[in-house]
Amino acid sequence: MKLLVTGGAGYVGGVCAQVLLEDGHEVVVVDDLSTGNADGVPTGAKFVEGDIATAGVDLIESESFDGVLHFAAQSLVGESVRQPEKYWHGNVVKTLALLEAIRRTETPRLVFSSTAAVYGEPEQVPITEDSAARPTNPYGASKLAIDHAITSYANAHGLAATSLRYFNVAGAYGGLGENRVVETHLIPLVLQTALGHRETISVFGTDYPTPDGTAVRDYIHIRDLAQAHLLALAQSRPGEHRILNLGSGTGFSVRQVISACEQVTGGPIAAVEAPRRAGDPSVLIASSERAVAELGWQPRHHDLTEIVSDAWGFLRSLGDRAHSARR
Ligand SMILES: NC(=O)c1ccc[n+]([C@@H]2O[C@H](COP(=O)([O-])OP(=O)(O)OC[C@H]3O[C@@H](n4cnc5c(N)ncnc54)[C@H](O)[C@@H]3O)[C@@H](O)[C@H]2O)c1
């Protein structure tokens, strides 16, 4: 298929674009490089630098795509609380412009990066797709609003759509990994501390009702996540909007993640205890049973040490690349 990948210079979009290419698809990436890097666009994809609402819309209207995979977004929870306008405009308004281009051109398929943040504080874990969606920040609310818009476009206009609600995506694949200017994700932050790029890693909250008192999250390997995109694309049906959680179904605490990072990097990592952050739930674990049942998805990389090792290999390769560029 000929596919448009928005946000393909970012972490998840870049790896998914790589896996789409490996699967034989033709890939065009549109990305404004606001948080991504041109280096993150995989070799073999055509890259157009620009905004989804302008360059993205132009591409959809001038080329004929079999589908759009929409990863581009603002995705910092704290920033969304301080600057909600950036999220309502950058995520919702711009995605509506894309959806309109998709409708006008009758582009048949859409796969959208939704998030566990739509669920807010869960009433029960593991979290299923039938759990109440009550986001606790504008980021999650903006993604939920897009999910609703996609449902109505699928119903009214026959779009074959899938929203994939990711839990914590981690690891690296094909020489691509997490490499953001503003990093907020736990595994790269801990590994950057191990590399000496940060002095300490903060552990927010040590009094949660969890075995070691620190918050528990579900980490899904980026390669497994990318595989689910291939399946979602192939199995989507006109007029249907599927909503599927993607997680490993296993939870690891902040302390367990730090300890896995120490094991992989081979040395102690300085951690400091800090108060809980407002709105951080104690445990977030996905039920991905629906993705397994409906897509035949089979996640293969459950092991936290493997996820951390892959992320570590990628971060070290960045250092090596910078070193060779200086020589
Ligand atoms: N990483 C995770 O753990 C996680 C979890 C849940 C959901 N998600 C969702 O997955 C998607 C990808 O996340 P990521 O971690 O790869 O983020 P990222 O910041 O690495 O990538 C996002 C990419 O989108 C681009 N972009 C942003 N706004 C744009 C615009 N208006 N026009 C063109 N390009 C634009 C950025 O430059 C960047 O390359 C996002 O939609 C995010 O909300 C990610």
Side-chain angles (χ1 to χ4, degrees), residues 7 27 48 55 65 94 115 123 149 180 182 201 220 240 265 297 315 326:
V27 174
V48 176
F65 288 101
K94 290 185 178 182
T115 169
E123 279 164 2
R180 305 181 188 85
V182 179
I201 178 75
I220 169 166
E240 184 180 85
T265 61
W297 181 54
L315 275 183
R326 279 197 299 273

Side-chain angles (χ1 to χ4, degrees), residues 206-263:
T206 52
D207 58 350
Y208 283 107
T210 58
D212 67 17
T214 65
V216 169
R217 295 290 179 268
D218 180 324
Y219 295 90
I220 169 166
H221 195 292
I222 183 78
R223 183 63 185 84
D224 285 336
L225 187 100
Q227 189 63 25
H229 288 71
L230 291 183
L231 295 168
L233 192 66
Q235 297 180 28
S236 59
R237 289 190 287 258
E240 184 180 85
H241 180 206
R242 269 192 176 136
I243 297 182
L244 301 171
N245 288 344
L246 293 181
S248 68
T250 311
F252 293 100
S253 72
V254 175
R255 287 206 196 287
Q256 284 177 309
V257 170
I258 295 174
S259 147
C261 291
E262 289 179 329
Q263 198 190 322

Side-chain angles (χ1 to χ4, degrees), residues 74-189:
Q74 306 299 316
S75 54
L76 300 176
V77 170
E79 182 185 67
S80 80
V81 175
R82 293 187 301 277
Q83 290 177 260
E85 60 282 3
K86 194 168 168 184
Y87 287 72
W88 292 111
H89 186 77
N91 290 354
V92 180
V93 174
K94 290 185 178 182
T95 299
L96 292 178
L98 268 193
L99 270 176
E100 269 302 275
I102 286 170
R103 180 185 67 79
R104 282 194 296 271
T105 55
E106 298 181 9
T107 304
R109 298 172 193 82
L110 173 69
V111 179
F112 172 61
S113 302
S114 189
T115 169
V118 301
Y119 296 112
E121 181 79 49
E123 279 164 2
Q124 100 275 330
V125 282
I127 301 170
T128 66
E129 294 81 356
D130 297 325
S131 307
R134 283 195 287 260
T136 50
N137 53 64
Y139 165 61
S142 72
K143 291 283 186 171
L144 183 60
I146 297 169
D147 280 346
H148 287 317
I150 294 173
T151 302
S152 61
Y153 271 66
N155 290 340
H157 304 305
L159 183 64
T162 312
S163 287
L164 297 173
R165 291 183 172 165
Y166 315 159
F167 282 62
N168 291 49
V169 192
Y173 177 73
L176 301 168
E178 288 181 274
N179 179 26
R180 305 181 188 85
V181 176
V182 179
E183 189 53 77
T184 59
H185 294 243
L186 182 62
I187 291 175
L189 285 173

Side-chain angles (χ1 to χ4, degrees), residues 2-6 28 30 46 48 51-70 94-110 159:
K2 179 173 177 181
L3 301 167
L4 180 65
V5 172
T6 76
V28 179
V30 62
K46 176 180 159 194
V48 176
D51 193 287
I52 50 168
T54 51
V57 166
D58 288 348
L59 279 163
I60 292 172
E61 291 189 334
S62 60
E63 300 191 24
S64 184
F65 288 101
D66 299 302
V68 176
L69 292 101
H70 180 31
K94 290 185 178 182
T95 299
L96 292 178
L98 268 193
L99 270 176
E100 269 302 275
I102 286 170
R103 180 185 67 79
R104 282 194 296 271
T105 55
E106 298 181 9
T107 304
R109 298 172 193 82
L110 173 69
L159 183 64

